């Protein structure tokens, strides 16, 4: 928390850390930093949460029947549909 | 002989490549929802998404014989669809102002608000308004940043697949993903910190 600039250097690592593919050595370093840095901990938590919330906000939709029908038609595949 | 109808089996790919219409129909049946959803998230408008959907499979049908199998057939479709969607997004963005879209609205992302909004009630975080805010935030991303974010964080493709789809290297995917996530986090933080202030004021 004492060194904002220092914290900014962690941003890329934080992103990798969230994905679970930060190099083990860097991961240990970051975890140590997180123990003492409230700001970076907040960035980790809010970044994770942002991604989760976005996923919730964009649940996959069924493709509408008429859209499907027009797709098969434009591909001349009408006859092959089950 | 029982045919292996798995989309990823070499036998199925061979039937596809030889122009088998049943195989192509199966491909469309099994992948079109994914492609439609990707297009819808990229473009918002249903009509645009449908255009991308049709164009993707028209191009796929035309080029299937040259499919080399370096990626899965689904990744190949994603690639075609993403390129179509990016083209439309760039067209939309440039109508009016002339900007180079891939300069990625870079360096405005200097701010880093530190507000711990994870303590907000679940109902607040999952509200319709929050969802709309998030959609708006995603729509403010440059086309390329948005594509990277959607492919990695929503479609959950690997960095390698995303790189292949976008024709950029894995490091470039990584840096853009960080930027996209930071921008979304920043905008959501701005919104939530207002909500927190309001709650405090109401107490
Ligand atoms: Zn820190």
């Amino acid at each position: 928390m004492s060194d904002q600039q220092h914290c900014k250097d962690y941003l890329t690592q934080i992103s990798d850390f969230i994905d679970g593919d930060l190099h083990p050595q860097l991961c240990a370093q970051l975890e140590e930093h997180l123990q003492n840095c409230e700001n970076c901990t907040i960035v980790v938590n809010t970044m994770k949460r942002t991604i989760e919330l976005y996923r919730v906000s964009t649940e996959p939709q069924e493709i509408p029947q008429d859209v499907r029908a027009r797709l098969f038609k434009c591909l001349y595949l009408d006859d092959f549909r089950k | 002989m029982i045919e292996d109808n798995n989309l990823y089996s070499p036998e199925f790919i061979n039937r596809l490549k030889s122009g088998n219409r049943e195989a192509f129909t199966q491909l469309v049946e099994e992948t079109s929802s994914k492609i439609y959803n990707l297009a819808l998230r990229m473009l918002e408008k249903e009509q645009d998404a449908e255009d991308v959907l049709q164009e993707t499979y028209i191009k796929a049908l035309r080029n299937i014989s040259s499919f080399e199998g370096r990626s899965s057939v689904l990744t190949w479709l994603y690639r075609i669809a993403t390129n179509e969607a990016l083209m439309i997004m760039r067209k939309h963005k440039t109508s009016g102002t002339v900007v180079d879209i891939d300069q990625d609205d870079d360096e405005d992302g200097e701010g880093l608000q530190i507000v711990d909004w994870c303590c907000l009630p679940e109902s607040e975080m999952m509200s319709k308004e929050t969802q709309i805010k998030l959609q708006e935030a995603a729509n403010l991303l440059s086309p390329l940043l948005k594509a990277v974010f959607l492919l990695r964080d929503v479609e959950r493709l690997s960095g390698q697949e995303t790189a292949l789809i976008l024709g950029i290297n894995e490091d470039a995917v990584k840096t853009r993903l960080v930027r996209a996530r930071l921008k979304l986090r920043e905008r959501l933080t701005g919104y939530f910190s207002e909500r927190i202030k309001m709650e405090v004021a109401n107490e």
Side-chain angles (χ1 to χ4, degrees):
Chain A
M1 211 197 279
S2 55
D3 191 347
Q4 277 276 357
Q5 196 50 47
H6 190 57
C7 287
K8 280 205 171 167
D9 296 339
Y10 281 110
L11 290 175
T12 304
Q13 291 185 22
I14 284 174
S15 186
D16 284 346
F17 178 72
I18 286 174
D19 296 330
D21 51 44
L22 185 59
H23 186 280
Q25 203 182 333
L26 294 174
C27 190
Q29 269 175 31
L30 178 61
E31 276 171 342
E32 199 188 321
H33 177 74
L34 290 176
Q35 298 245 309
N36 305 306
C37 182
E38 201 185 336
N39 285 3
C40 284
T41 304
I42 291 174
V43 173
V44 169
N45 292 336
T46 51
M47 190 185 274
K48 250 195 221 162
R49 208 76 182 95
T50 300
I51 297 165
E52 288 164 10
L53 288 174
Y54 187 85
R55 283 180 185 149
V56 171
S57 78
T58 177
E59 288 285 291
Q61 291 187 28
E62 261 314 301
I63 175 166
Q65 283 307 317
D66 56 331
V67 175
R68 274 176 66 85
R70 286 194 290 271
L71 175 61
F72 280 101
K73 199 167 172 136
C74 85
L75 296 167
Y76 302 100
L77 290 175
D78 273 334
D79 299 341
F80 296 92
R81 289 178 74 186
K82 286 175 208 121
Chain B
M1 191 180 121
I2 297 165
E3 284 178 333
D4 189 348
N5 283 328
N6 183 308
L7 284 194
Y8 303 101
S9 75
E11 196 188 317
F12 180 79
I13 298 298
N14 282 338
R15 288 204 293 134
L16 262 184
K17 291 184 63 161
S18 68
N20 182 298
R21 309 284 280 179
E22 269 130 24
F24 198 87
T25 304
Q26 186 190 337
L27 179 72
V28 178
E29 298 271 15
E30 291 188 24
T31 58
S32 52
S33 278
K34 280 190 152 79
I35 298 299
Y36 182 70
N37 273 288
L38 175 68
L40 204 53
R41 288 179 182 126
M42 292 269 268
L43 296 162
E44 307 152 71
K45 283 202 208 100
E46 284 171 10
Q47 184 57 58
D48 286 339
E50 183 172 353
D51 289 347
V52 167
L53 181 73
Q54 293 188 358
E55 204 51 41
T56 298
Y57 288 101
I58 288 169
K59 287 202 168 138
L61 193 55
R62 202 184 293 149
N63 297 313
I64 190 69
S65 60
S66 59
F67 172 66
E68 286 173 20
R70 272 181 300 181
S71 62
S72 78
V73 68
L74 181 60
T75 305
W76 185 67
L77 290 172
Y78 270 134
R79 186 186 168 111
I80 303 172
T82 304
N83 283 329
E84 287 298 321
L86 284 173
M87 232 154 54
I88 293 178
M89 288 162 91
R90 284 166 180 153
K91 232 183 270 166
H92 287 343
K93 285 233 170 180
T94 43
S95 59
T97 47
V98 182
V99 281
D100 176 11
I101 295 310
D102 291 324
Q103 73 190 22
D104 273 339
D105 41 4
D106 272 312
E107 311 304 341
D108 64 337
E110 293 307 313
L112 194 64
Q113 299 175 79
I114 305 294
V115 178
D116 189 4
W117 45 260
C118 290
C119 57
L120 278 167
E122 203 73 358
S123 59
E124 177 90 38
M125 275 201 270
M126 302 287 192
S127 73
K128 192 76 212 156
E129 198 182 333
T130 303
Q131 298 191 1
I132 291 167
K133 284 286 161 200
L134 266 170
Q135 295 299 323
E136 283 172 7
N139 294 338
L140 286 170
L141 296 174
S142 76
L144 194 58
L145 285 195
K146 191 175 181 188
V148 169
F149 176 73
L150 289 177
L151 293 169
R152 288 286 283 112
D153 280 342
V154 181
E155 304 299 328
R156 303 193 196 216
L157 300 180
S158 69
Q160 196 186 8
E161 286 170 303
T162 304
L164 204 72
I165 288 167
L166 292 168
I168 57 181
N169 66 44
E170 272 189 73
D171 280 339
V173 169
K174 197 168 265 196
T175 54
R176 284 180 173 81
L177 181 62
V178 179
R179 256 190 262 152
R181 285 172 168 178
L182 283 171
K183 279 172 194 291
L184 292 181
R185 192 206 74 97
E186 206 56 32
R187 288 182 184 126
L188 196 59
T189 298
Y191 167 68
F192 280 142
S193 53
E194 284 304 308
R195 307 290 301 179
I196 291 171
K197 269 185 220 151
M198 273 162 60
E199 263 173 39
V200 172
N202 287 338
E203 262 164 25

